[in-house]
Amino acid sequence: MEDIIGIIIAPIIIFMVIVAPIWLILHYRSKKQISQGLSDEEYATLQELADRAEKMADRIHTLESILDAEAPQWRNKV
């Protein structure tokens, strides 16, 4: 009976002493990084991507209007 308790207790103690503290440190470190939000560099990159997406949307709209004028049935062919 004592052998079974020892077999069960040993992994629990190892987990509580080694794994649990590392797990908690990494968990709260990631929570802190998430709560800080975007860095200036990340925000600039995000803004640049948003600008590119707007330009691309404008180009697509222009191309669609040209195709509508020159080949009205182009949408049915795709």
Side-chain angles (χ1 to χ4, degrees):
M1 185 69 174
E2 290 180 20
D3 291 338
I4 295 174
I5 293 174
I7 292 172
I8 294 172
I9 297 293
I12 292 173
I13 291 173
I14 291 171
F15 177 82
M16 296 299 287
V17 171
I18 297 172
V19 177
I22 294 172
W23 186 3
L24 287 173
I25 289 168
L26 293 175
H27 172 73
Y28 284 109
R29 184 184 299 168
S30 69
K31 286 281 193 183
K32 181 181 175 186
Q33 289 175 350
I34 290 171
S35 68
Q36 287 178 347
L38 298 175
S39 69
D40 292 338
E41 182 179 333
E42 291 170 332
Y43 182 76
T45 303
L46 183 62
Q47 191 63 41
E48 181 182 344
L49 289 173
D51 292 341
R52 286 185 184 183
E54 280 187 45
K55 288 178 183 177
M56 191 176 294
D58 291 342
R59 288 180 178 179
I60 291 170
H61 179 68
T62 302
L63 288 171
E64 287 179 345
S65 63
I66 292 170
L67 283 171
D68 286 338
E70 292 186 8
Q73 297 299 320
W74 74 271
R75 293 181 194 263
N76 296 335
K77 293 180 183 178
V78 176

